[in-house]
Amino acid sequence: MAKSTNPFRYFDSSPEVIRLVVMMYVKYPLSLRNVEDLLAERGIDICHETVRLWWNRFGPMFAAAIRRKRVQKMRAYTHWRWHLDEVYATRRAA
C-alpha cells in the first residue's frame, strides 16, 4: 500500500484556506485572535488554536516552498550576486 504524500489529508478544511490562514498570520503583524476575527468577518469560522496548529504544522513547509521559489528565480539570472554586509560575492561559471 502506497502512502499518501498529501500533507492536508487529515484536515477537513481545504488547502487554500489553510494556506490563506497561515500566510495572513505570517505576512501581517497579527495575533492569533486577530486572524480569527478577520476570518470570521469573511465567513470562515476557525478557532485561534487552529491557526496556531496550522502555523506549527504547515509554516515550515510554506517557508521552504517560498525559499525554493526565490532561489530558483535568482538562479534564472546568469550573473546573480549576493551582498553580505561588507562582503561581495559573485557566482562565476565553471
Side-chain angles (χ1 to χ4, degrees):
M1 185 196 296
K3 287 186 176 180
S4 176
T5 59
N6 183 8
F8 305 103
R9 66 184 173 270
Y10 298 119
F11 296 92
D12 292 334
S13 298
S14 69
E16 292 83 16
V17 171
I18 293 173
R19 185 170 183 83
L20 171 74
V21 170
V22 172
M23 295 311 282
M24 280 178 73
Y25 180 66
V26 172
K27 189 172 183 178
Y28 304 108
L30 301 173
S31 68
L32 296 171
R33 292 183 191 267
N34 287 343
V35 172
E36 177 186 9
D37 292 341
L38 284 173
L39 293 170
E41 290 176 5
R42 288 164 177 76
I44 301 172
D45 187 28
I46 292 178
C47 177
H48 68 279
E49 281 298 313
T50 305
V51 175
R52 186 187 60 78
L53 172 78
W54 288 349
W55 159 244
N56 288 334
R57 175 91 182 243
F58 299 110
M61 183 180 72
F62 294 150
I66 290 169
R67 273 190 224 102
R68 211 173 17 257
K69 286 180 188 176
R70 199 177 282 168
V71 168
Q72 298 239 337
K73 191 183 285 186
M74 287 176 62
R75 288 190 177 161
Y77 299 108
T78 57
H79 301 292
W80 61 276
R81 301 175 186 161
W82 285 8
H83 297 275
L84 306 172
D85 290 335
E86 297 164 0
V87 177
Y88 178 74
T90 61
R91 178 176 177 264
R92 295 191 180 179

